[in-house]
Structures are given as C-alpha cells and as structure tokens.
Amino acid sequence: MKDTMILNDGTVLELEAGASLGALQVVAPDRAAMAATWAKLTPENLAVVQVKNGAGLVAGNYTDLVLDSETSKVAADGTVLTSYRLRPKTDLERLEERVGAVETGQNVQDGAINDIATLTGEMAGMMEGGNA
C-alpha cells in the first residue's frame, strides 16, 4: 500500500513519495486527471490535511497549508508524475486572513447600522406626518 494524503473534503490522494510536505509526488493516468488533482488543492481543502503511511497509520496531521508550487513530468505512456510543494501558512498570511475577516464583518455591521438609520428616519417621518 502507498502512503496517502487526505484533504479536508475527504479526497484521498495516493502518494508516490511523501518524505515531506515539500516533496509530495502523485501519479495521474493523464493530464486531465493531474489537473483535477491539482484543482483539489484549494485553500479550503488544505485547511486540514492528514497523511497516512502505507500501513494506514497517521504519519502527520496538518492545518493551514499552502500549495507553494507544482512541477509535472509526462512519461512516454501519458502518465503524469507531479511533485507538489506544500508548506504551512506564514504568520503574515494568517494575519492577513484575520484582517480580511474583520473587514468583512465590519462591512456587514456598517450595512446593518445604515439600514437601522434609514428605518429610524422613515419612522420619524411617518410620526411627524401623522401628528400634522
């Protein structure tokens, strides 16, 4: 049995060589299958990753990984050997995500405050119109 890498969405990738996150190799039967595998390596799927050895034992649990690079070689038979280089997110990348989340939350809050102010103004106008 080969080592495997399990992505956050449950996708299982068989590894040819899994010595480190920076040197994970996957064989695909053709270019289309290679592209499909590459497309699975999204930030969401790399948020939680587990690597198991050939015996099915957990060799590593990882969070917040980033696909740093990939290189592929097409063999004469059409199979594609791809080397993926994964790495943990840097502190700066994590900070940028948190700031983005705060900004998104602030925009939602600003919209809600604006809606309340508009509604309050409309209600005040209705009350003034009713008293006249």
Side-chain angles (χ1 to χ4, degrees), residues 33-90:
M34 176 272 169
T37 298
W38 187 7
K40 286 286 195 172
L41 300 177
T42 63
E44 295 79 20
N45 275 341
L46 294 175
V48 177
V49 174
Q50 185 175 70
V51 175
K52 292 185 178 181
N53 65 21
L57 301 173
V58 175
N61 289 306
Y62 305 95
T63 58
D64 294 327
L65 296 178
V66 174
L67 174 60
D68 215 21
S69 65
E70 70 76 33
T71 55
S72 297
K73 295 179 185 177
V74 180
D77 66 358
T79 60
V80 181
L81 174 65
T82 304
S83 296
Y84 296 102
R85 176 177 158 77
L86 303 180
R87 63 169 175 77
K89 287 182 183 176
T90 64

Side-chain angles (χ1 to χ4, degrees), residues 1-6 12-18 51-58:
M1 291 205 46
K2 295 183 178 184
D3 290 357
T4 56
M5 179 171 66
I6 299 100
V12 177
L13 303 175
E14 287 190 348
L15 303 174
E16 293 300 309
V51 175
K52 292 185 178 181
N53 65 21
L57 301 173
V58 175

Side-chain angles (χ1 to χ4, degrees), residues 106-122:
Q106 186 63 50
N107 289 338
V108 169
Q109 186 178 27
D110 290 348
I113 291 169
N114 188 39
D115 290 348
I116 291 171
T118 300
L119 181 60
T120 302
E122 290 173 0

